[in-house]
Short mmCIF file of all heavy atoms in Angstrom, two decimals:
data_model
loop_
_atom_site.label_atom_id
_atom_site.label_comp_id
_atom_site.label_asym_id
_atom_site.label_seq_id
_atom_site.Cartn_x
_atom_site.Cartn_y
_atom_site.Cartn_z
N ILE A 999 18.92 -36.22 -17.37
CA ILE A 999 19.61 -34.93 -17.29
C ILE A 999 18.57 -33.83 -17.08
O ILE A 999 17.66 -33.69 -17.89
CB ILE A 999 20.43 -34.65 -18.57
CG1 ILE A 999 21.50 -35.74 -18.73
CG2 ILE A 999 21.06 -33.26 -18.52
CD1 ILE A 999 22.15 -35.74 -20.10
N ALA A 1000 18.75 -33.11 -16.01
CA ALA A 1000 17.77 -32.06 -15.72
C ALA A 1000 17.95 -30.90 -16.71
O ALA A 1000 19.07 -30.47 -16.97
CB ALA A 1000 17.96 -31.56 -14.30
N THR A 1001 16.87 -30.43 -17.22
CA THR A 1001 16.92 -29.24 -18.10
C THR A 1001 16.04 -28.17 -17.48
O THR A 1001 15.03 -28.46 -16.85
CB THR A 1001 16.43 -29.57 -19.51
OG1 THR A 1001 15.14 -30.17 -19.40
CG2 THR A 1001 17.39 -30.52 -20.21
N LYS A 1002 16.43 -26.96 -17.73
CA LYS A 1002 15.67 -25.81 -17.20
C LYS A 1002 15.32 -24.88 -18.34
O LYS A 1002 15.97 -23.87 -18.55
CB LYS A 1002 16.52 -25.04 -16.18
CG LYS A 1002 16.35 -25.50 -14.75
CD LYS A 1002 16.95 -24.49 -13.81
CE LYS A 1002 16.69 -24.89 -12.36
NZ LYS A 1002 17.35 -23.95 -11.45
N THR A 1003 14.35 -25.27 -19.12
CA THR A 1003 14.00 -24.44 -20.28
C THR A 1003 12.79 -23.56 -20.02
O THR A 1003 12.61 -22.56 -20.67
CB THR A 1003 13.71 -25.31 -21.51
OG1 THR A 1003 12.73 -26.28 -21.13
CG2 THR A 1003 14.97 -26.02 -21.97
N ARG A 1004 11.98 -23.95 -19.06
CA ARG A 1004 10.79 -23.13 -18.80
C ARG A 1004 11.11 -21.93 -17.90
O ARG A 1004 11.94 -22.04 -17.00
CB ARG A 1004 9.72 -23.98 -18.11
CG ARG A 1004 8.85 -24.72 -19.12
CD ARG A 1004 8.12 -25.84 -18.44
NE ARG A 1004 9.06 -26.79 -17.83
CZ ARG A 1004 8.73 -28.00 -17.44
NH1 ARG A 1004 7.50 -28.41 -17.57
NH2 ARG A 1004 9.63 -28.79 -16.90
N ALA A 1005 10.40 -20.83 -18.17
CA ALA A 1005 10.54 -19.65 -17.31
C ALA A 1005 9.90 -19.96 -15.97
O ALA A 1005 8.83 -20.59 -15.91
CB ALA A 1005 9.86 -18.46 -17.95
N LYS A 1006 10.54 -19.56 -14.94
CA LYS A 1006 9.94 -19.70 -13.60
C LYS A 1006 8.69 -18.83 -13.52
O LYS A 1006 8.74 -17.66 -13.86
CB LYS A 1006 10.93 -19.21 -12.53
CG LYS A 1006 11.55 -20.36 -11.76
CD LYS A 1006 12.17 -19.87 -10.47
CE LYS A 1006 13.01 -20.98 -9.87
NZ LYS A 1006 14.19 -20.45 -9.19
N PRO A 1007 7.58 -19.36 -13.11
CA PRO A 1007 6.39 -18.52 -13.02
C PRO A 1007 6.49 -17.56 -11.84
O PRO A 1007 6.06 -17.86 -10.74
CB PRO A 1007 5.25 -19.53 -12.84
CG PRO A 1007 5.90 -20.76 -12.30
CD PRO A 1007 7.35 -20.73 -12.69
N LYS A 1008 7.08 -16.44 -12.10
CA LYS A 1008 7.23 -15.42 -11.04
C LYS A 1008 5.88 -14.78 -10.78
O LYS A 1008 5.26 -14.28 -11.71
CB LYS A 1008 8.19 -14.31 -11.50
CG LYS A 1008 9.62 -14.75 -11.71
CD LYS A 1008 10.52 -13.50 -11.74
CE LYS A 1008 11.90 -13.82 -12.30
NZ LYS A 1008 11.90 -13.98 -13.77
N ARG A 1009 5.42 -14.75 -9.56
CA ARG A 1009 4.20 -13.97 -9.34
C ARG A 1009 4.62 -12.51 -9.22
O ARG A 1009 5.71 -12.20 -8.78
CB ARG A 1009 3.42 -14.43 -8.11
CG ARG A 1009 4.23 -14.68 -6.87
CD ARG A 1009 3.34 -15.14 -5.72
NE ARG A 1009 4.15 -15.64 -4.64
CZ ARG A 1009 4.81 -16.79 -4.68
NH1 ARG A 1009 4.74 -17.55 -5.74
NH2 ARG A 1009 5.56 -17.16 -3.66
N PRO A 1010 3.72 -11.62 -9.67
CA PRO A 1010 4.07 -10.20 -9.66
C PRO A 1010 4.34 -9.75 -8.23
O PRO A 1010 3.60 -10.12 -7.33
CB PRO A 1010 2.83 -9.52 -10.23
CG PRO A 1010 1.73 -10.51 -10.14
CD PRO A 1010 2.36 -11.86 -10.15
N SER A 1011 5.42 -9.01 -8.05
CA SER A 1011 5.74 -8.64 -6.67
C SER A 1011 4.74 -7.64 -6.11
O SER A 1011 4.18 -6.83 -6.82
CB SER A 1011 7.16 -8.12 -6.55
OG SER A 1011 7.56 -7.52 -7.74
N GLN A 1012 4.53 -7.76 -4.83
CA GLN A 1012 3.52 -6.98 -4.14
C GLN A 1012 4.20 -5.88 -3.32
O GLN A 1012 5.30 -6.05 -2.82
CB GLN A 1012 2.74 -7.89 -3.20
CG GLN A 1012 1.97 -8.99 -3.89
CD GLN A 1012 0.73 -8.49 -4.57
OE1 GLN A 1012 0.71 -8.24 -5.76
NE2 GLN A 1012 -0.32 -8.29 -3.81
N PHE A 1013 3.50 -4.77 -3.22
CA PHE A 1013 4.03 -3.63 -2.46
C PHE A 1013 3.03 -3.16 -1.41
O PHE A 1013 1.85 -3.03 -1.69
CB PHE A 1013 4.36 -2.47 -3.42
CG PHE A 1013 5.60 -2.75 -4.22
CD1 PHE A 1013 5.54 -3.61 -5.32
CD2 PHE A 1013 6.81 -2.20 -3.86
CE1 PHE A 1013 6.70 -3.91 -6.05
CE2 PHE A 1013 7.96 -2.49 -4.58
CZ PHE A 1013 7.90 -3.34 -5.68
N LYS A 1014 3.57 -2.91 -0.22
CA LYS A 1014 2.75 -2.32 0.83
C LYS A 1014 2.64 -0.83 0.59
O LYS A 1014 3.63 -0.18 0.26
CB LYS A 1014 3.41 -2.52 2.21
CG LYS A 1014 3.41 -3.95 2.68
CD LYS A 1014 3.91 -4.01 4.11
CE LYS A 1014 5.28 -4.65 4.12
NZ LYS A 1014 5.76 -4.97 5.47
N VAL A 1015 1.46 -0.29 0.76
CA VAL A 1015 1.28 1.17 0.77
C VAL A 1015 1.23 1.58 2.24
O VAL A 1015 0.37 1.13 2.99
CB VAL A 1015 0.00 1.59 0.04
CG1 VAL A 1015 -0.22 3.09 0.18
CG2 VAL A 1015 0.08 1.19 -1.43
N LEU A 1016 2.21 2.40 2.63
CA LEU A 1016 2.34 2.81 4.03
C LEU A 1016 1.91 4.25 4.22
O LEU A 1016 2.19 5.11 3.38
CB LEU A 1016 3.81 2.69 4.48
CG LEU A 1016 4.47 1.32 4.37
CD1 LEU A 1016 5.93 1.42 4.82
CD2 LEU A 1016 3.73 0.29 5.21
N LEU A 1017 1.24 4.50 5.33
CA LEU A 1017 0.86 5.85 5.70
C LEU A 1017 1.69 6.24 6.92
O LEU A 1017 1.87 5.43 7.84
CB LEU A 1017 -0.63 5.84 6.05
CG LEU A 1017 -1.41 7.14 5.90
CD1 LEU A 1017 -1.30 7.71 4.49
CD2 LEU A 1017 -2.87 6.89 6.25
N LEU A 1018 2.22 7.46 6.91
CA LEU A 1018 3.08 7.91 8.00
C LEU A 1018 2.36 8.94 8.87
O LEU A 1018 1.58 9.74 8.37
CB LEU A 1018 4.37 8.53 7.44
CG LEU A 1018 5.15 7.66 6.45
CD1 LEU A 1018 6.42 8.38 6.01
CD2 LEU A 1018 5.50 6.31 7.06
N ASN A 1019 2.66 8.92 10.14
CA ASN A 1019 2.06 9.89 11.05
C ASN A 1019 2.74 11.25 10.90
O ASN A 1019 3.89 11.35 10.45
CB ASN A 1019 2.20 9.42 12.49
CG ASN A 1019 1.40 10.28 13.45
OD1 ASN A 1019 0.32 10.76 13.11
ND2 ASN A 1019 1.92 10.48 14.65
#
Side-chain angles (χ1 to χ4, degrees):
I999 299 167
T1001 53
K1002 269 193 175 177
T1003 53
R1004 274 162 301 196
K1006 254 197 191 146
K1008 294 197 194 76
R1009 45 180 168 288
S1011 29
Q1012 297 285 98
F1013 287 78
K1014 290 187 251 189
V1015 175
L1016 302 178
L1017 205 56
L1018 307 182
N1019 189 35

